[in-house]
Amino acid sequence: MVGKDKQEDDNSSDAGYSPEELEQLVQEKDAEIASLKEDLLRKRAEFDNFRKRTRKEQEEFRNFAVENLMVELLDVYDNFERAIESAHNTDDVNSVVEGVEMVFKQFVSILEKQGLKRIECEGEEFDPSEHEAMMHVEHADHPDNTIIDVCKPGYKLNSRIIRPAMVAVSKNTSSDKEEK
């Protein structure tokens, strides 16, 4: 009888709900679960659409961001074309050189306006985060790890290095002799 009493106690723990009331509660909870599942599926679809739309917008932004730069560079292109044509039709080399220098300055100005900066490093201490050592040159006049020649200039775009400067770095011969 103890087992039967235990079962009756379990039934009474249903807080006095009748079987019909329990069935009603189960149906309400099932409906709530179905509603939550539907909401979840809708949110997933919305998020997937958002992700696709964002990707497309980013691609369009990249394409049109380059467009403004291209429009500015077209002027440089046109001026180079005129300079070449002028070089073929004139004997005055100095005027051609001046024209090409003007176009070059225009080109540099556009690049600087876009945030491009040349890394000035000759005479500076070698920094592997900004420079790439192409060679070490024994040199008594410069301290160790001093950049004595720039083989290929480096550039930063805003604050990011997009090409390290390729440099020749001094190796002081006098300090080697003093150590020995």
Side-chain angles (χ1 to χ4, degrees), residues 12 22 40 53 61 65 88 104 117 120 146 148 153 167 170:
S12 67
L22 286 175
L40 176 64
R53 187 174 54 250
F61 176 77
H88 289 296
F104 180 73
K117 280 185 166 179
E120 299 296 333
T146 301
I148 57 174
V167 298
S170 69

Side-chain angles (χ1 to χ4, degrees), residues 14-105:
D14 291 335
Y17 291 117
S18 69
E20 294 83 25
E21 290 173 326
L22 286 175
E23 183 63 32
Q24 177 67 29
L25 281 173
V26 168
Q27 287 176 357
E28 288 174 6
K29 294 302 177 186
D30 285 345
E32 185 179 346
I33 289 171
S35 173
L36 290 173
K37 281 183 179 179
E38 187 178 308
D39 285 349
L40 176 64
L41 290 174
R42 188 177 312 110
K43 297 292 182 198
R44 277 186 184 167
E46 287 175 6
F47 184 71
D48 192 41
N49 290 338
F50 170 76
R51 192 175 13 191
K52 289 175 185 175
R53 187 174 54 250
T54 302
R55 249 188 245 134
K56 183 179 178 184
E57 287 172 357
Q58 286 174 339
E59 187 176 316
E60 286 177 5
F61 176 77
R62 271 188 239 113
N63 291 340
F64 291 114
V66 172
E67 180 183 10
N68 292 332
L69 177 60
M70 289 297 128
V71 168
E72 289 187 61
L73 289 177
L74 283 174
D75 288 336
V76 174
Y77 179 85
D78 294 339
N79 288 336
F80 268 126
E81 247 181 2
R82 282 193 279 275
I84 291 170
E85 187 178 311
S86 173
H88 289 296
N89 297 331
T90 187
D91 294 331
D92 185 10
V93 176
N94 288 335
S95 67
V96 173
V97 170
E98 286 176 20
V100 171
E101 285 175 343
M102 287 172 46
V103 175
F104 180 73
K105 286 178 185 175

Side-chain angles (χ1 to χ4, degrees), residues 122-124 137-139 142 146-150 167-170:
E122 195 161 342
E124 301 287 324
V137 179
E138 291 186 6
H139 209 289
H142 297 284
T146 301
I147 297 170
I148 57 174
D149 189 28
V150 178
V167 298
V169 181
S170 69

Side-chain angles (χ1 to χ4, degrees), residues 109-124:
S109 171
I110 291 169
L111 294 178
E112 286 175 346
K113 189 168 89 175
Q114 295 296 321
L116 188 73
K117 280 185 166 179
R118 181 180 265 201
I119 298 172
E120 299 296 333
C121 55
E122 195 161 342
E124 301 287 324

